[in-house]
Amino acid sequence: MDESDALATAVAEVWPTAAEVLHGQELEEFASGVLIGLRALEAAALGARAAADGPDPAAAETAEEREQAARQRLAVLFAGHPPLGDRLTGVYRSLATGLERRPGTAPSGSLPYLRSLIVPVLYATDRDRTARDRAAGGDGTAGDDGGFGGRRGGLGYGKALVGIPDDHRIGAVEKPRRWLLRFRAAPERDVVLGGTTDLTAAGFGEEARSLLAGSGSRQALVFVHGYNVGFGAAAVRTAQIAYDLGFTGVPVLYSWPSRGGVLSYEEDANNARWTVPHFQEFLRHTLTASGADEVHVVAHSMGNRVLTEALAGFDTTGLPAGAGRLGNVVLAAPDVDADVFRQVAPALARQARRVTLYASSGDRALGLSRRIAGYPRAGQSGEGIVVVKGVDTVDATALDTGLMSHSYIGDHTSVLSDVHALIHHGTPPSGRFGLTAAEHRDGGYWTFLPQRR
């Protein structure tokens, strides 16, 4: 264990006491500073090790100085809070001098702790709560799915805390301050932490306004999941997409009662239709009570049935003055009848700032859906690709999108980068990297250039 490893391990050792010394915004700001400091330290340490193996002694000396400076900056940050600084100094000296070794200490260059960011995800769901109340006594902390089942229930609101590993995506971009830093010993990748907390409809709005007040962004990002998805997996996907997009507003999940089973396609399809009035109520409440000026919506697979049917029967532009507006509506691999989508597309285009549809001819899941339904799906490309006025259609067929080629909205870096440019900058397809124009009998659309994952 070298000096940088010792310091990073000491930070992990001391970190649990930070919440005892600091509170509120001061803790959030300190957590952000520590996260940036640790990332800088790791980058500097890697650079120093690489330079030490190189042929240039001067470069090695410069890299070592940078590593020392990174350690110093992190130490100074803790020194600004004496109880934490004093403890860090003691633990670091003990580790660095070999007086103490943690059992099972990892090899040099690794850490015995892993870091995660705790992302708050607000949610609305009309899933059944019977199992939740029975297992958790009504406190909403039971099970990987928070106690929510796949049966129909009443519309309710709440908040989930989701842990995303800090190294899930490489980069030194600071995340929102409210995304608290946490160290853990277990190597799980994405975990819904601490279950869920119930909120009233009014409490949902208050929580959203509170989160927006500290975010620097007056935007919300709503994710609507597809078929065969449980509540926990949907919450994790919501947080992961927000994390990977560097979204600084409030992530929100709408979770309808998918049974979460491969053989429950027809039941899920029925529930996707059943949930539409609830989704309309949720969307109205989010636009009027959350404090968001703009609400982006990303729907995946069968979740697009919920979204398109809801917007076809509910005009968000007619809400009272002061309500938020729909920003970007992203339809990812929509499991929607292609002809039905062509009928409802004008209603979507009229309400949203921009509508984007991602499709692929390699989507095996939609191929199966087409055989079941007997008609092409809006998320399929090829000769029947959906090209309609007011919708930017993007063909993702050229990308390597995995075995089923269906979950690329959250899995493929090229698609995430494209959505990033869309949501952060409002960039039209003509200005987004990696897209090229294509022609169809119904008009122009866009296609990804082949790229490696």
Side-chain angles (χ1 to χ4, degrees):
M1 178 179 289
D2 63 18
E3 291 182 72
S4 293
D5 289 333
L7 181 58
T9 302
V11 169
E13 188 89 11
V14 172
W15 186 252
T17 62
E20 300 172 6
V21 177
L22 305 173
H23 306 280
Q25 183 173 337
E26 189 176 25
L27 176 59
E28 292 179 356
E29 292 175 348
F30 182 64
S32 292
V34 171
L35 177 59
I36 294 171
L38 286 169
R39 286 174 171 169
L41 176 62
E42 289 174 356
L46 287 172
R49 289 163 192 159
D53 296 333
D56 187 349
E61 183 177 352
T62 300
E64 185 178 350
E65 290 174 353
R66 289 174 179 166
E67 184 182 8
Q68 291 174 350
R71 289 198 297 268
Q72 182 65 24
R73 284 194 296 271
L74 195 56
V76 167
L77 182 63
F78 272 81
H81 304 282
L84 298 175
D86 293 345
R87 184 170 181 191
L88 180 72
T89 299
V91 175
Y92 168 68
R93 286 176 177 170
S94 179
L95 290 170
T97 58
L99 296 178
E100 177 182 331
R101 291 289 186 270
R102 293 186 57 83
T105 297
S108 179
S110 302
L111 293 176
Y113 287 91
L114 298 176
R115 296 193 305 264
S116 64
L117 287 168
I118 308 304
V119 181
V121 174
L122 298 184
Y123 66 82
T125 184
D126 51 7
R127 290 175 179 268
D128 175 62
R129 291 169 173 73
T130 303
R132 171 190 177 89
D133 295 336
R134 181 172 62 249
D139 65 0
T141 59
D144 293 339
D145 276 331
F148 290 110
R151 298 288 186 181
R152 298 173 181 179
L155 180 63
Y157 297 88
K159 181 173 74 171
L161 299 180
V162 181
I164 300 291
D166 181 43
D167 61 355
H168 172 71
R169 284 291 186 272
I170 298 173
V173 178
E174 182 182 3
K175 300 300 176 185
R177 288 186 318 199
R178 66 181 183 280
W179 294 15
L180 293 179
L181 176 64
R182 173 168 173 166
F183 290 86
R184 69 197 194 288
E188 292 89 350
R189 289 198 54 77
D190 296 341
V191 183
V192 178
L193 298 176
T196 57
T197 302
D198 286 334
L199 297 171
T200 63
F204 173 90
E206 292 171 2
E207 186 72 22
R209 291 192 297 273
S210 175
L211 291 172
L212 285 172
S215 72
S217 171
R218 307 297 301 178
Q219 299 181 330
L221 176 66
V222 174
F223 178 67
V224 187
H225 62 79
Y227 144 76
N228 188 22
V229 177
F231 179 88
V236 165
R237 180 63 96 180
T238 304
Q240 176 249 311
I241 289 176
Y243 181 102
D244 290 346
L245 292 178
F247 186 71
T248 57
V250 177
V252 183
L253 165 66
Y254 183 82
S255 185
W256 52 278
S258 166
R259 290 303 303 276
V262 175
L263 301 180
S264 301
Y265 184 87
E266 285 299 328
E267 187 171 352
D268 275 14
N270 288 331
N271 283 341
R273 288 190 292 270
W274 170 84
T275 197
V276 168
H278 291 163
F279 180 78
Q280 291 173 330
E281 180 182 343
F282 151 75
L283 189 57
R284 180 184 292 107
H285 186 60
T286 301
L287 289 167
T288 57
S290 69
D293 295 330
E294 194 166 45
V295 176
H296 308 291
V297 185
V298 176
H300 179 241
S301 189
M302 195 178 283
N304 284 280
R305 299 189 192 183
V306 180
L307 174 62
T308 54
E309 289 188 31
L311 292 182
F314 168 46
D315 187 359
T316 60
T317 64
L319 293 173
R325 59 165 293 181
L326 283 180
N328 288 286
V329 169
V330 177
L331 310 150
D335 186 2
V336 177
D337 184 296
D339 290 331
V340 171
F341 180 79
R342 291 183 178 96
Q343 294 171 354
V344 302
L348 275 65
R350 184 177 63 251
Q351 298 182 59
R353 178 155 60 91
R354 184 176 293 276
V355 179
T356 304
L357 186 157
Y358 291 98
S360 171
S361 61
D363 193 324
R364 292 182 175 86
L366 292 187
L368 177 60
S369 176
R370 175 177 180 168
R371 288 194 293 274
I372 294 173
Y375 293 96
R377 318 317 288 164
Q380 294 180 298
S381 59
E383 276 297 310
I385 190 169
V386 172
V387 179
V388 294
K389 183 179 180 181
V391 177
D392 296 328
T393 298
V394 180
D395 188 352
T397 302
L399 301 177
D400 175 12
T401 50
L403 178 63
M404 295 299 290
S405 297
H406 188 57
S407 299
Y408 49 81
I409 186 63
D411 292 344
H412 202 287
T413 55
S414 294
V415 180
L416 285 166
S417 295
D418 197 60
V419 178
H420 183 281
L422 180 66
I423 289 182
H424 281 273
H425 308 294
T427 309
S430 59
R432 302 206 296 265
F433 178 79
L435 296 183
T436 185
E439 289 299 322
H440 185 267
R441 61 179 179 271
D442 295 330
Y445 67 102
W446 302 87
T447 182
F448 278 104
L449 297 171
Q451 296 174 8
R452 292 183 299 175
R453 284 177 66 87

